[in-house]
Amino acid sequence: MHPKQFRVQIYAYKYRADFVITSLDGPIDIENSIVDKLGQGDIKWEYLGEMMDPKVNRITYEEVIDGGDDATSTRPLQEEKRS
């Protein structure tokens, strides 16, 4: 397996972080890469203020497609289908 790039967005405690990690395509590998990146301390946190609910904490990630030989790079992610 080749490592892939993932965009990670974290919303927690009225702050937001957005960064890219490189990891194998498995949940444990992605989680370990996120923890490693957080441990480096070079992530810039953006203050969101009171507009976000402080009781809701989210971490999302998505694969970064850079035009390589990925299955989704040759077609749009959303397609219109007709019967």
Side-chain angles (χ1 to χ4, degrees):
M1 277 188 148
H2 297 290
K4 298 179 179 180
Q5 289 186 335
F6 293 90
R7 179 181 179 200
V8 178
Q9 297 176 328
I10 301 174
Y11 298 88
Y13 307 105
K14 303 178 192 174
Y15 286 88
R16 173 185 182 273
D18 189 353
F19 54 92
V20 175
I21 61 168
T22 302
S23 174
L24 296 176
D25 192 14
I28 299 298
D29 299 318
I30 293 171
E31 181 180 341
N32 288 337
S33 293
I34 292 171
V35 171
D36 290 344
K37 186 74 171 179
L38 290 171
Q40 292 174 1
D42 59 349
I43 297 173
K44 295 183 181 180
W45 293 89
E46 177 185 353
Y47 183 67
L48 296 174
E50 294 295 330
M51 67 180 195
M52 299 296 288
D53 184 1
K55 296 179 184 176
V56 178
N57 303 321
R58 299 179 201 90
I59 297 177
T60 63
Y61 60 87
E62 61 188 39
E63 182 179 350
V64 176
I65 299 172
D66 59 357
D69 58 340
D70 187 80
T72 58
S73 64
T74 58
R75 61 176 172 75
L77 294 176
Q78 297 177 351
E79 294 179 344
E80 181 178 339
K81 295 184 179 182
R82 299 178 187 223
S83 56

